[in-house]
Amino acid sequence: MRLDLEQTEFAAAVRAFAQEQIRPVIGDYYERGEFPADLVRELGKLGVFGVTLPEEYGGSGMGLFMLGLALEEIARVDASVAVTVEASVTLGAEGLARYGTEEQRRRWLPRLAAGEGLCAFALTEPGGGTDAGHTDTKARLEDGEWVIDGAKCFITNAGTAMTDLIVATAQTGPGEISCIAVEPGTPGLEIGPEYSKVGWRASDTRPVYFDGCRVPEANLIGQRGRGFVQFLELLDSGRVAIAALATGSAQGCVDEALAHAKEREAFGRPIGENQSIAFMLADMKLRAHTSRLTWQDAALKADAGEPFGADAALAKLHASQAAVDNARDATQIFGGYGFMNETPVARAWRDCKILEIGEGTNEVQRMVIARSMGL
Amino acid sequence: MNIVVLVKQVPDSGLARQLDDQLRVDRNGANNVMGELDEYAVEAALQLKEAHGGEVTVLTLGPSQATETVRKTLAMGADKALHIEDDAVGGSDALATSKILAAALGRLEWDLVIAGAESTDSGMGIMPQMLAARTGVPALTGARKIDTDGTAITVEHQRANGYDVLTASLPAIVSVWDTINTPRYPSLKGIMAAKRKPVETLALSDLGVDAAEVGPSGANNEVLSAAERPPRTAGQIVTDEGQGGTALAEFLAAEKFI
């Protein structure tokens, strides 16, 4: 799809940052399982976190398409950093921008838009993933405060030094789910230790516990009882963002494997001259390209204000599969080196599986697509 | 303080570069980017503006596609640009180029001109001195650090084995190496703001420069031949027979490392 001048220039700026600043150092962070806070702050200066947020709160007021371009370029180099952006923006800050009060937006959005602070969205619980409406965490009003009790798991950005806010879903009455904002340091909020993850190792993912955690009544985000509906609306954008991220991973595999196939020699010639390798690369390029078309199509519809839920599901399903397939082929082209953690495509291989799970499993995506077909 | 930054679009120095049949740098098939050292000049200007106020104007000489480079400087934060574009310019030597740039500088108000220490295509590193001679201001070249109080300027002039401290009164021309700062990346807000910033495009006639004095016909020198850089030769291997340490120390001393 042809990009206009601003889109081209922004994608080029993010690509340059990713290639020059993230690529040389991210492998070490990944190996240590360390969150690269300085890199994330520097990335914030490019305006990546504020792309879709309103200008009056420090954002750029652009659409999902522009955000997708940035996520794709970051993920082309590293998915951990890309998901840090995705989680803070599409579920966290976007929720505040769409459903928050004027006071809430003024208080939290400027730092989130600048990438100086991060937001975590705490939905998943130990007892429910795909069954997202099943929420055991409870919040009750007491003396003008919400008192929250419960546990959340797999929460991205929950425990970084930059985390400003955790937005949690909780039952505020029978069959009633609401979103409530909790700031780190609030008594009764316990941020668990970093998980040992297979992939996305330079992103921060933790369990979160609420034990009589009290926050002001004014920390309710959106209407009481509308939490689940809000979440479902945000999730459609989130799926497009994950599809853009997956496309970046798939493209990064093409970049790395192509360079290797041209350089690595076996039997006296570059391995890319073997048809088996060349065709594999052709298929990889096709997958990255079609993934890009699906997420861009969904993003254009979203930005035009048209329904895009089924398109988002198509994009997420297709691009995540492309990322898995390309990571498998890229590691194959790298041979033994592809199994070494120091090789970038090995990171892609470890990172790709979660793309078929997070932001709705691919089974859920098929369900959404089938329903849109009247099934 | 008003600053003019000289920038030049050049073929990406990270990729293989070619000469055309007239032994000029081939720009048609190349990936053209802002001169790598020019990014440091832009950053130096922006930092001085942030500290002292004033305006940063970008001056470039090049074909219409150099607009991409101009836009990048505006997205980084420069305020406006002057783009000299004229078909007669192609093939100009450094002397003629300095005549055009000096004429352009004559139309702008500036206290300081900042340039990269050399271009990353032809790499002559002579333009700041030529412009200083033509405009009658001092040139402080090869800076790794710049300080100014608004009336005088002090730079650390980088040398192989240290640095010299140079001071001059403003106005002046400074050139910088890549040791001076870390250039910023254009932000989305900067990119969106760039399209509203003024870019003036002028031809040689607007500057009062005679087209016959520039280009190949006005050149004072001519490239007769060019050859590939010879491959790197093997280094000297010292076999340690008791004198290894001495030999190593002598080598390092000869190269002024110790």
Side-chain angles (χ1 to χ4, degrees):
Chain A
M1 225 168 276
R2 274 189 70 77
L3 304 183
D4 70 20
L5 191 58
E6 280 80 31
Q7 290 161 351
T8 305
E9 290 179 341
F10 184 52
V14 177
R15 182 183 316 134
F17 183 89
Q19 298 285 346
E20 293 163 14
Q21 305 297 325
I22 300 177
R23 194 173 191 275
V25 299
I26 197 63
D28 288 340
Y29 283 104
Y30 196 93
E31 196 70 13
R32 294 193 299 267
E34 183 184 335
F35 179 76
D38 289 344
L39 266 185
V40 172
R41 286 194 188 95
E42 286 300 313
L43 184 61
K45 292 180 185 168
L46 275 71
V48 168
F49 288 86
V51 174
T52 58
L53 300 175
E55 288 183 85
E56 55 264 47
Y57 308 107
S60 292
M62 313 285 294
L64 191 53
F65 190 92
M66 195 65 114
L67 177 63
L69 291 176
L71 289 171
E72 187 184 325
E73 290 297 345
I74 300 165
R76 201 167 157 180
V77 169
D78 180 72
S80 301
V81 177
V83 78
T84 299
V85 177
E86 192 274 337
S88 186
V89 175
T90 57
L91 299 182
E94 265 296 316
L96 280 173
R98 290 194 207 177
Y99 312 114
T101 62
E102 178 64 16
E103 195 194 330
Q104 288 169 342
R105 293 179 194 172
R106 282 195 190 291
R107 182 167 170 193
W108 287 307
L109 279 182
R111 276 176 51 84
L112 297 178
E116 290 163 2
L118 293 177
C119 189
F121 189 77
L123 169 85
T124 303
E125 300 192 352
T130 293
D131 185 6
H134 177 92
T135 302
D136 287 331
T137 298
K138 292 185 171 58
R140 63 178 196 279
L141 264 181
E142 201 177 285
D143 304 329
E145 288 180 322
W146 291 107
V147 184
I148 313 170
D149 286 287
K152 300 285 181 179
C153 63
F154 313 143
I155 308 306
T156 305
N157 293 339
T160 78
M162 306 168 61
T163 303
D164 280 358
L165 197 62
I166 295 170
V167 177
T169 54
Q171 251 195 70
T172 46
E176 179 189 291
I177 296 174
S178 306
C179 290
I180 301 172
V182 183
E183 289 180 311
T186 304
L189 169 69
E190 191 196 331
I191 312 288
E194 171 74 42
Y195 292 104
S196 173
K197 302 196 291 289
V198 170
W200 282 4
R201 290 183 54 82
S203 78
D204 182 90
T205 318
R206 297 165 189 266
V208 173
Y209 308 100
F210 302 96
D211 182 10
C213 178
R214 303 176 80 97
V215 298
E217 187 178 355
N219 280 22
L220 180 74
I221 308 290
Q223 287 175 35
R224 181 171 176 168
R226 295 279 297 168
F228 191 60
V229 175
Q230 290 170 18
F231 161 71
L232 289 180
E233 286 174 3
L234 291 168
L235 197 61
D236 282 339
S237 308
R239 285 175 183 159
V240 179
I242 288 291
L245 189 157
T247 302
S249 286
Q251 182 62 49
C253 286
V254 176
D255 299 341
E256 296 288 341
L258 178 62
H260 187 72
K262 285 179 174 174
E263 193 184 291
R264 170 75 171 177
E265 294 200 353
F267 305 106
R269 61 179 188 168
I271 59 171
E273 289 182 17
N274 297 306
Q275 201 177 57
S276 59
I277 303 288
F279 279 18
M280 213 188 278
L281 280 160
D283 285 341
M284 289 168 69
K285 179 170 181 164
L286 174 67
R287 289 185 206 116
H289 182 69
T290 51
S291 298
R292 186 170 299 117
L293 295 179
T294 58
W295 83 250
Q296 293 190 344
D297 177 55
L300 287 175
K301 285 181 177 139
D303 291 347
E306 296 169 15
F308 69 104
D311 304 281
L314 279 170
K316 197 269 180 184
L317 175 61
H318 182 65
S320 61
Q321 289 181 165
V324 171
D325 290 345
N326 278 14
R328 186 190 58 241
D329 285 355
T331 46
Q332 189 68 18
I333 289 170
F334 269 81
Y337 289 106
F339 202 58
M340 298 299 119
N341 279 327
E342 65 195 62
T343 309
V345 295
R347 282 209 314 274
W349 190 63
R350 293 170 68 173
D351 290 344
C352 67
K353 183 61 208 170
I354 187 63
L355 297 170
E356 297 188 313
I357 299 170
E359 230 81 347
T361 62
N362 280 7
E363 289 70 31
V364 167
Q365 310 307 324
R366 288 186 173 90
M367 211 165 75
V368 171
I369 296 163
R371 277 181 191 162
S372 78
M373 298 161 75
L375 297 170
Chain B
M1 186 163 60
N2 292 321
I3 304 172
V4 174
V5 186
L6 307 183
V7 303
K8 181 182 185 186
Q9 192 178 51
V10 299
D12 188 343
S13 65
L15 305 172
R17 285 168 290 175
Q18 308 290 335
L19 298 178
D20 64 17
D21 53 6
Q22 295 172 71
L23 300 180
R24 294 187 213 151
V25 176
D26 183 6
R27 298 168 200 283
N28 290 328
N31 178 34
N32 292 299
V33 299
M34 187 188 330
E36 283 85 344
L37 286 169
D38 299 350
E39 294 197 24
Y40 296 86
V42 173
E43 178 64 33
L46 294 175
Q47 288 183 10
L48 287 172
K49 175 195 159 177
E50 283 157 8
H52 300 279
E55 264 193 336
V56 173
T57 305
V58 167
L59 171 59
T60 197
L61 171 64
S64 64
Q65 69 192 27
T67 306
E68 298 161 13
T69 288
V70 167
R71 279 185 56 94
K72 183 171 180 185
T73 65
L74 298 176
M76 286 172 76
D79 298 289
K80 55 192 173 71
L82 174 55
H83 182 173
I84 312 300
E85 184 188 339
D86 198 307
D87 289 343
V89 168
S92 296
D93 65 2
L95 208 55
T97 300
S98 72
K99 177 175 287 185
I100 302 166
L101 290 177
L105 286 175
R107 294 177 62 96
L108 300 168
E109 285 190 15
W110 48 273
D111 306 293
L112 182 64
V113 173
I114 306 182
E118 59 186 32
S119 61
T120 44
D121 53 356
S122 50
M124 298 185 73
I126 196 77
M127 201 51 55
Q129 294 89 330
M130 285 182 166
L131 289 175
R134 288 190 186 276
T135 58
V137 306
L140 300 83
T141 59
R144 62 171 209 179
K145 188 170 187 288
I146 302 177
D147 276 319
T148 179
D149 58 5
T151 55
I153 186 159
T154 301
V155 310
E156 291 182 7
H157 167 82
Q158 184 173 308
R159 303 178 67 89
N161 54 355
Y163 63 90
D164 299 331
V165 178
L166 308 177
T167 300
S169 57
L170 292 173
I173 296 178
V174 171
S175 71
V176 302
W177 286 114
D178 57 0
T179 42
I180 193 164
N181 57 41
T182 306
R184 69 196 64 187
Y185 291 84
S187 70
L188 180 54
K189 282 182 189 299
I191 288 166
M192 300 311 291
K195 62 183 173 187
R196 293 189 295 273
K197 291 178 176 175
V199 178
E200 190 180 10
T201 305
L202 295 179
L204 291 181
S205 57
D206 300 316
L207 297 175
V209 175
D210 184 354
E213 294 177 22
V214 302
S217 60
N220 288 288
N221 55 60
E222 191 182 348
V223 179
L224 300 176
S225 67
E228 291 277 333
R229 179 166 50 190
R232 186 175 289 195
T233 53
Q236 182 192 348
I237 295 174
V238 176
T239 308
D240 185 16
E241 290 165 345
Q243 90 303 0
T246 314
L248 197 57
E250 280 171 357
F251 172 82
L252 291 173
E255 297 292 324
K256 295 189 165 57
F257 282 110
I258 55 174

